[in-house]
Amino acid sequence: FFFFCIFWGLMGSQADEEVRRALGALTSKGSSVTKVEALNRLVELSTLVPDISTVTTLPTFFGALRDLLVHKSQTVRMGALRVLRYYLRPTTSSGYVEDMYYRASLGYFIARSFEYMEGESSERVQALKLIRRTIEADSWRAPPLSAGSAITTHSTGIVSVGGAGSPTAVVQSSFALSNPSNSPTALAPSSNSSGSVPLSTPTPAATLHTSPQPAGWQAKRASTTTLLLQSNNSSNNNALSKKLFMVPRCIVQALRAVAEAIHTDPFAKPALETLSEIAARNPKLVAVCGGMKTIFNAAIDPYFADMQDPLLATLLYIFDDTSTRQYVRPSTDICILFSPLSDISTSPPNEIDDRSKIWEASVKAISVMLKSWTGLITLASDPLLLKSMVDTLFLPSWALRGIIIDGLFGIFKMPIPKDTNWFAKHGESVSPDGLDLPSRTYDERPNLMNNFLSALLLVFIECGLVEALVTVGETQAEGADTFVIHKATVLLAEMLHMSSSLLSVTQCAKIQTLPSLVSTAVTFALHDQERVGASHMVANLHHLAHLKSRTQQGQPQGSLTVTGANKWRRIKGRDKRLDKVDDIKKKMDFSIDEKQLLVKLQQTQVTENKDFRRWAWDSISEMLEGPLRNPMHVATVMRQTKFFKRLLSFLRPSRRLFSTLPLSQEHMTYAMVGCQTLEILLESEQGTVFIAESLFLKQLSEILKEEADMLEHPSTSRTSVSRFLDENSILKTMSKEYFSLIGTMSSFNRGADMLRNLKVFVYLRTLVETPGRLDLASLIITSLDYTDADHARVLFAKALYCQTMAARYFATRHLRTLLRAGAPDFASWGIDYLAKQLSDSDAKVWGTAVAILDEACDDPECMESLITKAPPLVTLGKAGFDLWLRFLSTDTGFKHLMSVSFVEPELEKWRNIENVLYAAHLEAVLEEAFGSRVSSATKRVVPIPPHLYGELTKTAAGRALFLEKKILEGLVEDMMNINQLPIKRRAALWALGNIGSSESGLEILEKEAVIEKIVRLAETDPWLSLRGTCFNVIAMISRTEKGRQRLDTFQWQTPNTPKPHTCVPLDLKRCSLFKVADYAYGGSVAGDEALPCDLELSTQPASSDHATLITQIGNLANNVLLEKATRTIKRLKTQKPELFLSPQLAQDVLVLLEHQPFRLAIRRFLFALLPETAFSTPQFWSLFPATTPSEVIMMTSGGVTDRTTITPASNSKNAFTLRTSNKTNK
């Protein structure tokens, strides 16, 4: 190590000397080739020089490079830019960037290199890389813009700004990175095969750990949150951190100009991405330069469609807090998103197509805004914004109406109808399969997505969306688009159905009656066309309401059997009307006489014909489900006909009738009838004897034995041609359904005894345990009935613990079906099986077991059974840990966790860090569910995970411990402290919501008047994302009857449902939830809040022509005076060319470019007027005063700029001063 240090020191000293020689070569007179070689050598030596200031002074370093930035050779300029970038390091970024931009004033020429040339020149690439390197340097040295937030550059090229749960600005670069920024490369331009321009090297990021891991997941989450909480430790944590932002104004102006050159400049997208990143960190700087309007315009431009989401995320981040919100013009900038929707003027077909793309971009931008609480509150705060979008449905443009209605489907997470037959298809497709069993308890869990949908409903109903959809839906005029009318009707029907379960009775009463529509439908004085359209819409709405009520899934009572014919039967308990019809029909069929029975039997054609293709299979099924449920009728049929004999004969494998039929949905009727037949026969002793005497069951046993022997002794078994259960037969023929018949036999004690006597269970066990036939294992596992603790459960246990992972997984997953079917005594044997599966070696198996246990523990009996087994849940990732926390909700579980010394240490962890982790994880899941990348037809379910405080306060002993630790006081203090980290405030809210979701926890909150404080925060807090959290917390508190009564006193009401999970304000006009306080715009150039100027124009022009020229250049920013000013400047260029060689004019032009929002073409025109020699004279550089970091743009807690007046340099011939706070910029 000693010799290594000596060697490295010698290398370092040699590198330092070479750097000095290379810098000397740059300042001496020499050819362009010599300078390029010196620049390349400096790049190579950058890896050996960690800090350039230890080799030479920064003024010397920048002085050697600044003349090269205006060199006539593009290769030299590009090399100088590369050297500046390679020596910008995290350890030296602060002083380096300050000297580069604010002492050496190199920012003007970096901006010139980026915007002056056209096309994809290498110089522009290097300039942009240096700019982005500066942004990264600012991330290294300065704290994030707001407390609890972070700017992170991910390895994928995505730069994200924001904390968990808050609006996140994401700038995703679509430009590849060809070389790392710290590796020397040649001066040739780098680009990828697609022609895209490389930007800068991303740095690795520490991201929130949101997915559960089996090992070390708590430590990773803790370290991540430590980084999150360390982002701001000042006393004023809620405000913007007072910091320097190193990107100068001149560069921001250049980025803005290039970003606005959409169709003419290939760097428009990377410039816009960079501008968006800067806006997230310093919105004031971008606002003063006019960049906010640029970002808004780009968000609805089809050219930037791939960047729309990150651009809007940046704007949402800015809108969230008052300190950044002031840099967006109120009721002006946000209107840009809605402005295309008011353009319906007649245009040629090609222009109409282009306008439709702009409409779609505008609607998508609004939809993205409405997928976050910040966006929803921002848009709803202005009474004209969303109403203007809704009012466009009244405009006579069917194309625009269709686009808006499609957007509304996406906003409400509804599938868009594909055709006008939606009502018929909807009625057919919603009938559930018998195996698609719903959870018996999931509906009782709150879904946070419903809270957001209820807020959306409130806002759009207030904007008149119901009336607008009625107007579109009842239209029957000539030329009307029937598909758009149909979609409007479907959307209205879905909204009405949704409102009945999400809104209060008072609010539903206002919209459910549809007075205008009903009035039109029954007013015969109106034109027939209007009345018919209204009547047709009323009929469709009624039809959908009927479908919804018929297919609304109710919970089946008691246990269900999911084997045999039950797979095809409708589950009872879901539709009471159909249940009643079935009961009446069953009584009628049961009481028919023998003559009627034989007539019906004859209609099946079974007794009349031996050919099964001529049998009436639907009639057979009706007979088996109806009259033959009467044992007397069964005896009559068996005594007088061959009905059952021919059915069993058809099923016999040796007949090769049923077994060789192709596997199809049409042939499933045969399998269903076979199961029904066995059910009828097994219900009576006579039928059981009939089955035993037939050849059907014996042959079925033989083919199972044959297949088992094939797996155990493959060399001595028959070929696959003669086998009934080989892989090909199971995949393509009805032989697969023999296991459904076996399942029907196992559902009856008589049938199970017959299977045991024929050793069927022995053969099935062999088929399950032997590797290689996963298809048979899955069929056997899902076909048998496990109601009785007999051979079927023994076989099931063998499948759970066999060597084949796939079989273990199928068996474990089938336990969920048995749980939802209400299998008898599941809390005993089912929980025991699941607890043993937690020790499985495969993560997929134990992960499935944890998920099933989580659902099963909604049943108190299953919870108590699991607690007694004390499984190692805490080692199974976050899902297992959440289930472990639920033990605290019972007295038995609390005692168990206290006995293992879990509760008190965990309370300290949650007080310090875990509570914040909980909020971060939950809000990350919410952000993913709200994200625009999620399909609009996907309505995500976002349940609330268990919380330590919420579970602890559900028992008397837990409440006592909670109050003893004085945790509630700290949560209330964090929630109300405006200077606290936003993530900690939201974490306190989530904790209080979990506590208040139970009756016992609500009593604790009432003592501190917490509900009143939460309601006040929901309506008045300046952080909009915090209001959304309060909305969710209020819904959690409304889960109890006492909570609903308390919230009712604050004019918040719940739906009229048995277990409401949402709570909304009764009157939006009185409630300030969706209102944002008025604020003064802080991004004005001429106002008192303007940024200080680095330089001002000369107060003593050199001549009258100089003054005229400056005036005309300023007029180039005015579209009215643009043409005249251009002619005047060109005339002066022709008549007095020496005027344009003045260093004073060169600096004045740079000052104007820094402060005026010129277009890119004008900026290039001005640069073209000045030769490179005007920027490289000593007289030119003497005009620049040496500024200090105190003049760099600052952001303070209130968003006000710190102003400092400086004295001009002693060698300056003209007075260049910063204006003070009582002056305005001219």
Side-chain angles (χ1 to χ4, degrees):
F1 179 75
F2 174 74
F3 288 108
F4 175 78
C5 293
I6 295 177
F7 173 75
W8 185 257
L10 293 175
M11 288 290 294
S13 59
Q14 182 180 358
D16 294 349
E17 186 60 32
E18 291 195 31
V19 168
R20 296 188 189 97
R21 286 200 297 267
L23 290 175
L26 296 179
T27 56
S28 62
K29 294 184 178 180
S31 63
S32 299
V33 176
T34 303
K35 295 184 182 298
V36 169
E37 291 176 352
L39 291 170
N40 281 336
R41 185 56 182 161
L42 283 174
V43 171
E44 294 173 356
L45 294 171
S46 63
T47 57
L48 302 176
V49 181
D51 188 353
I52 188 62
S53 61
T54 62
V55 180
T56 183
T57 63
L58 289 178
T60 302
F61 178 73
F62 292 127
L65 292 172
R66 68 181 185 181
D67 286 338
L68 303 183
L69 291 176
V70 291
H71 197 277
K72 62 181 180 180
S73 171
Q74 180 182 353
T75 306
V76 174
R77 297 196 300 270
M78 184 175 64
L81 292 169
R82 292 176 67 245
V83 171
L84 289 172
R85 174 165 58 89
Y86 276 93
Y87 283 90
L88 177 54
R89 305 289 176 78
T91 56
T92 61
S93 60
S94 179
Y96 186 97
V97 176
E98 290 168 7
D99 277 42
M100 179 171 65
Y101 286 136
Y102 301 103
R103 291 190 178 93
S105 301
L106 301 186
Y108 296 100
F109 309 101
I110 296 172
R112 177 180 180 271
S113 294
F114 177 58
E115 63 181 336
Y116 179 43
M117 302 297 292
E118 297 183 1
E120 298 181 2
S121 67
S122 302
E123 180 183 0
R124 301 187 71 187
V125 172
Q126 295 301 328
L128 184 58
K129 284 186 175 183
L130 177 56
I131 295 171
R132 294 185 63 84
R133 186 72 166 181
T134 304
I135 299 175
E136 294 175 8
D138 186 73
S139 303
W140 298 328
R141 58 174 294 280
L145 177 65
S146 65
S149 305
I151 293 189
T152 305
T153 306
H154 301 266
S155 59
T156 57
I158 299 178
V159 178
S160 60
V161 186
S166 62
T168 303
V170 181
V171 183
Q172 182 173 5
S173 175
S174 57
F175 300 87
L177 308 175
S178 58
N179 293 298
S181 60
N182 58 353
S183 61
T185 55
L187 289 179
S190 57
S191 61
N192 55 26
S193 59
S194 61
S196 60
V197 183
L199 296 181
S200 59
T201 301
T203 57
T207 56
L208 277 174
H209 178 76
T210 57
S211 58
Q213 299 293 333
W217 65 276
Q218 289 176 306
K220 293 180 182 179
R221 296 171 67 218
S223 62
T224 301
T225 307
T226 301
L227 295 175
L228 178 69
L229 297 179
Q230 288 176 351
S231 63
N232 192 332
N233 54 7
S234 61
S235 59
N236 187 14
N237 289 322
N238 182 37
L240 294 173
S241 305
K242 184 176 181 180
K243 69 180 189 64
L244 303 178
F245 192 79
M246 309 313 299
V247 178
R249 184 171 174 174
C250 57
I251 288 181
V252 176
Q253 287 284 15
L255 291 170
R256 176 203 55 77
V258 174
E260 291 177 352
I262 299 174
H263 302 291
T264 59
D265 197 288
F267 278 75
K269 286 189 176 181
L272 183 62
E273 291 174 355
T274 308
L275 184 68
S276 180
E277 291 184 45
I278 298 174
R281 292 195 63 90
N282 195 339
K284 181 167 190 172
L285 174 60
V286 176
V288 170
C289 295
M292 286 297 180
K293 184 178 179 181
T294 303
I295 296 175
F296 273 100
N297 284 322
I300 59 172
D301 195 311
Y303 180 76
F304 295 111
D306 56 333
M307 297 175 57
Q308 188 181 61
D309 289 352
L311 291 176
L312 291 171
T314 301
L315 296 176
L316 288 171
Y317 179 79
I318 295 171
F319 275 122
D320 191 41
D321 183 27
T322 53
S323 57
T324 53
R325 194 184 308 137
Q326 60 178 321
Y327 302 116
V328 179
R329 296 182 186 273
S331 301
T332 301
D333 288 343
I334 193 69
C335 290
I336 295 175
L337 301 179
F338 293 82
S339 58
L341 301 181
S342 60
D343 179 19
I344 61 167
S345 57
T346 57
S347 303
N350 57 337
E351 295 185 13
I352 292 177
D353 294 339
D354 294 340
R355 193 148 27 92
S356 296
K357 294 179 181 179
I358 299 177
W359 289 340
E360 291 173 355
S362 176
V363 172
K364 183 184 176 184
I366 298 170
S367 301
V368 173
M369 292 283 288
L370 290 174
K371 289 178 180 178
S372 69
W373 281 107
T374 301
L376 175 59
I377 297 175
T378 299
L379 298 185
S381 63
D382 191 325
L384 299 179
L385 290 179
L386 290 177
K387 184 167 176 45
S388 65
M389 175 185 177
V390 172
D391 287 346
T392 54
L393 293 175
F394 295 101
L395 298 178
S397 174
W398 288 103
L400 179 57
R401 286 176 171 178
I403 292 172
I404 292 177
I405 291 176
D406 288 346
L408 290 170
F409 272 105
I411 290 171
F412 287 107
K413 296 290 183 180
M414 300 175 186
I416 302 176
K418 301 300 182 182
D419 50 46
T420 55
N421 295 325
W422 185 87
F423 287 105
K425 293 181 179 180
H426 187 78
E428 295 172 358
S429 62
V430 294
S431 180
D433 193 319
L435 286 178
D436 186 20
L437 296 178
S439 171
R440 296 178 177 238
T441 57
Y442 274 176
D443 288 342
E444 299 177 3
R445 297 185 179 186
N447 181 9
L448 294 178
M449 283 294 292
N450 287 337
N451 297 337
F452 193 74
L453 290 175
S454 65
L456 284 171
L457 278 173
L458 277 179
V459 171
F460 275 101
I461 290 173
E462 190 70 20
C463 293
L465 179 59
V466 174
E467 292 79 6
L469 292 175
V470 167
T471 301
V472 176
E474 66 182 5
T475 304
Q476 293 291 326
E478 184 178 355
D481 192 327
T482 56
F483 189 33
V484 174
I485 294 174
H486 176 75
K487 288 192 291 186
T489 305
V490 173
L491 178 60
L492 178 58
E494 292 284 4
M495 286 181 60
L496 295 177
H497 175 73
M498 190 186 302
S499 64
S500 63
S501 59
L502 299 182
L503 301 184
S504 65
V505 178
T506 306
Q507 291 156 335
C508 289
K510 297 178 182 178
I511 61 173
Q512 295 283 355
T513 54
L514 301 176
S516 61
L517 178 63
V518 176
S519 175
T520 304
V522 299
T523 303
F524 291 89
L526 296 175
H527 193 276
D528 289 346
Q529 197 175 38
E530 298 180 24
R531 185 169 52 81
V532 169
S535 301
H536 185 65
M537 188 175 189
V538 170
N540 284 334
L541 292 175
H542 174 73
H543 179 56
L544 180 66
H546 174 69
L547 289 176
K548 288 289 185 181
S549 63
R550 192 185 74 182
T551 58
Q552 191 70 32
Q553 292 187 358
Q555 294 303 329
Q557 303 297 324
S559 63
L560 299 174
T561 304
V562 292
T563 58
N566 289 296
K567 294 191 297 183
W568 295 280
R569 290 191 179 108
R570 185 182 58 83
I571 298 178
K572 283 200 162 188
R574 291 183 171 182
D575 192 328
K576 294 182 179 179
R577 187 180 65 86
L578 291 180
D579 290 345
K580 188 175 182 180
V581 172
D582 289 343
D583 291 339
I584 295 174
K585 187 175 183 299
K586 183 178 180 181
K587 291 180 180 179
M588 294 175 61
D589 289 337
F590 198 86
S591 60
I592 64 175
D593 56 22
E594 182 178 332
K595 184 177 181 180
Q596 292 175 321
L597 174 67
L598 295 177
V599 170
K600 285 181 172 291
L601 198 65
Q602 187 178 9
Q603 293 174 354
T604 64
Q605 297 297 314
V606 176
T607 58
E608 306 296 323
N609 200 312
K610 293 184 179 181
D611 189 355
F612 73 94
R613 289 182 292 269
R614 298 185 180 182
W615 295 350
W617 288 96
D618 291 338
S619 299
I620 297 173
S621 179
E622 289 181 6
M623 283 289 296
L624 294 171
E625 285 292 311
L628 292 180
R629 291 294 168 178
N630 188 335
M632 296 180 61
H633 293 164
V634 174
T636 300
V637 172
M638 294 181 65
R639 185 176 61 253
Q640 298 185 17
T641 69
K642 297 182 179 180
F643 180 78
F644 289 110
K645 180 179 179 181
R646 289 186 177 178
L647 287 178
L648 289 183
S649 177
F650 166 72
L651 296 174
R652 281 163 46 191
S654 61
R655 295 289 305 276
R656 292 190 176 273
L657 297 177
F658 175 76
S659 59
T660 58
L661 288 173
L663 185 63
S664 65
Q665 190 63 36
E666 178 185 359
H667 294 158
M668 283 298 167
T669 305
Y670 304 151
M672 180 181 67
V673 168
C675 293
Q676 291 172 330
T677 303
L678 294 177
E679 287 178 356
I680 297 297
L681 294 175
L682 289 171
E683 286 177 351
S684 63
E685 185 68 30
Q686 184 180 2
T688 304
V689 174
F690 183 81
I691 295 176
E693 294 177 351
S694 69
L695 298 177
F696 161 71
L697 196 57
K698 295 178 182 178
Q699 293 182 6
L700 188 58
S701 173
E702 291 175 0
I703 66 172
L704 290 172
K705 181 179 183 301
E706 175 187 347
E707 197 64 32
D709 293 341
M710 175 66 187
L711 293 178
E712 289 184 333
H713 310 288
S715 60
T716 60
S717 301
R718 299 166 61 186
T719 62
S720 60
V721 177
S722 59
R723 288 161 52 197
F724 290 91
L725 301 179
D726 63 295
E727 292 89 340
N728 187 62
S729 298
I730 292 295
L731 182 64
K732 296 182 179 180
T733 69
M734 292 296 292
S735 296
K736 171 184 176 181
E737 293 304 318
Y738 277 130
F739 292 98
S740 297
L741 302 178
I742 295 175
T744 302
M745 296 285 295
S746 67
S747 300
F748 295 83
N749 291 331
R750 297 187 181 99
D753 292 339
M754 295 170 66
L755 294 176
R756 182 177 62 254
N757 294 335
L758 292 173
K759 298 183 179 182
V760 171
F761 287 114
V762 176
Y763 305 143
L764 293 179
R765 175 179 171 179
T766 302
L767 295 177
V768 169
E769 291 182 332
T770 306
R773 290 304 304 273
L774 180 60
D775 54 344
L776 293 181
S778 60
L779 283 173
I780 295 169
I781 291 169
T782 57
S783 297
L784 294 179
D785 185 271
Y786 305 100
T787 302
D788 296 326
D790 204 345
H791 290 75
R793 286 192 192 173
V794 174
L795 189 148
F796 190 73
K798 295 295 182 181
L800 285 170
Y801 313 133
C802 68
Q803 296 180 355
T804 307
M805 188 281 295
R808 300 199 308 272
Y809 170 70
F810 275 116
T812 306
R813 193 177 65 174
H814 189 62
L815 283 170
R816 177 184 282 115
T817 303
L818 298 176
L819 169 67
R820 295 181 176 182
D825 201 23
F826 187 85
S828 175
W829 63 273
I831 297 298
D832 183 60
Y833 286 164
L834 288 169
K836 292 179 180 178
Q837 291 301 92
L838 296 178
S839 58
D840 194 278
S841 59
D842 189 87
K844 192 174 182 180
V845 175
W846 62 254
T848 304
V850 171
I852 300 172
L853 282 172
D854 177 65
E855 182 179 343
C857 285
D858 291 336
D859 181 3
E861 188 178 354
C862 292
M863 172 70 82
E864 293 293 336
S865 176
L866 182 63
I867 293 173
T868 58
K869 294 172 175 54
L873 291 170
V874 75
T875 62
L876 299 178
K878 187 180 183 304
F881 185 78
D882 287 345
L883 184 55
W884 182 262
L885 286 180
R886 294 182 62 184
F887 285 9
L888 293 171
S889 63
T890 66
D891 292 326
T892 307
F894 178 78
K895 293 177 182 178
H896 169 69
L897 295 185
M898 286 292 291
S899 66
V900 297
S901 301
F902 170 80
V903 181
E904 294 197 14
E906 195 68 20
L907 278 173
E908 291 302 317
K909 290 167 60 177
W910 278 74
R911 188 199 296 267
N912 296 329
I913 193 172
E914 286 292 333
N915 193 35
V916 176
L917 278 174
Y918 176 91
H921 170 76
L922 179 55
E923 292 175 351
V925 175
L926 278 171
E927 183 181 355
E928 181 185 355
F930 291 149
S932 58
R933 291 181 177 86
V934 179
S935 173
S936 60
T938 305
K939 183 180 177 181
R940 288 283 302 273
V941 176
V942 184
I944 302 175
H947 194 286
L948 177 68
Y949 300 158
E951 302 300 319
L952 191 64
T953 53
K954 291 179 180 179
T955 61
R959 286 195 304 275
L961 180 62
F962 180 81
L963 295 174
E964 178 187 341
K965 297 294 184 179
K966 298 186 182 301
I967 299 173
L968 181 64
E969 292 79 359
L971 294 175
V972 175
E973 182 181 356
D974 286 344
M975 175 186 70
M976 300 304 297
N977 186 3
I978 193 67
N979 296 323
Q980 184 57 272
L981 287 169
I983 183 63
K984 292 194 71 174
R985 295 185 69 196
R986 296 195 300 271
L989 279 167
W990 285 116
L992 293 171
N994 278 278
I995 295 171
S997 62
S998 62
E999 294 282 356
S1000 56
L1002 188 64
E1003 295 177 1
I1004 301 176
L1005 300 187
E1006 282 290 276
K1007 296 178 182 180
E1008 297 288 335
V1010 174
I1011 298 178
E1012 180 181 358
K1013 296 175 182 178
I1014 293 175
V1015 172
R1016 186 166 67 251
L1017 286 178
E1019 298 180 357
T1020 61
D1021 197 87
W1023 287 85
L1024 304 186
S1025 57
L1026 192 77
R1027 293 191 192 182
T1029 303
C1030 292
F1031 192 95
N1032 288 320
V1033 170
I1034 290 173
M1036 296 169 67
I1037 295 174
S1038 69
R1039 295 176 62 188
T1040 64
E1041 182 62 31
K1042 291 183 179 179
R1044 290 191 287 272
Q1045 294 174 1
R1046 190 74 181 94
L1047 289 169
D1048 189 59
T1049 61
F1050 301 108
Q1051 300 296 308
W1052 285 68
Q1053 292 187 350
T1054 57
N1056 186 23
T1057 55
K1059 294 184 178 181
H1061 295 152
T1062 61
C1063 188
V1064 296
L1066 183 60
D1067 188 357
L1068 284 186
K1069 295 180 180 179
R1070 296 179 56 186
C1071 177
S1072 57
L1073 170 65
F1074 297 107
K1075 296 179 182 177
V1076 178
D1078 296 336
Y1079 59 89
Y1081 179 58
S1084 175
V1085 177
D1088 291 336
E1089 299 299 322
L1091 295 170
C1093 307
D1094 297 330
L1095 296 171
E1096 289 187 352
L1097 295 176
S1098 56
T1099 57
Q1100 299 176 355
S1103 63
S1104 59
D1105 291 334
H1106 181 97
T1108 302
L1109 183 57
I1110 294 299
T1111 302
Q1112 296 302 321
I1113 291 175
N1115 291 339
L1116 292 175
N1118 189 328
N1119 291 330
V1120 177
L1121 304 176
L1122 174 62
E1123 186 176 353
K1124 180 180 178 182
T1126 304
R1127 290 198 304 268
T1128 303
I1129 294 172
K1130 289 181 178 180
R1131 178 172 53 79
L1132 289 174
K1133 177 72 173 177
T1134 303
Q1135 295 177 357
K1136 299 182 179 181
E1138 67 281 358
L1139 185 64
F1140 294 85
L1141 301 177
S1142 167
Q1144 182 63 65
L1145 177 64
Q1147 186 172 15
D1148 286 347
V1149 168
L1150 293 180
V1151 173
L1152 286 172
L1153 289 174
E1154 184 180 14
H1155 294 83
Q1156 294 294 332
F1158 294 117
R1159 290 178 297 165
L1160 181 60
I1162 301 301
R1163 297 173 72 88
R1164 287 174 175 169
F1165 170 71
L1166 293 177
F1167 279 125
L1169 294 175
L1170 304 172
E1172 284 81 359
T1173 55
F1175 300 107
S1176 58
T1177 61
Q1179 294 81 0
F1180 172 77
W1181 291 110
S1182 66
L1183 298 177
F1184 283 85
T1187 59
T1188 63
S1190 60
E1191 289 94 46
V1192 183
I1193 298 169
M1194 290 185 180
M1195 298 290 296
T1196 64
S1197 60
V1200 182
T1201 306
D1202 293 339
R1203 298 170 175 79
T1204 305
T1205 304
I1206 65 170
T1207 305
S1210 58
N1211 59 350
S1212 178
K1213 296 182 180 180
N1214 299 287
F1216 290 89
T1217 61
L1218 286 172
R1219 64 173 180 81
T1220 57
S1221 58
N1222 59 350
K1223 294 182 180 180
T1224 57
N1225 180 29
K1226 298 181 182 179

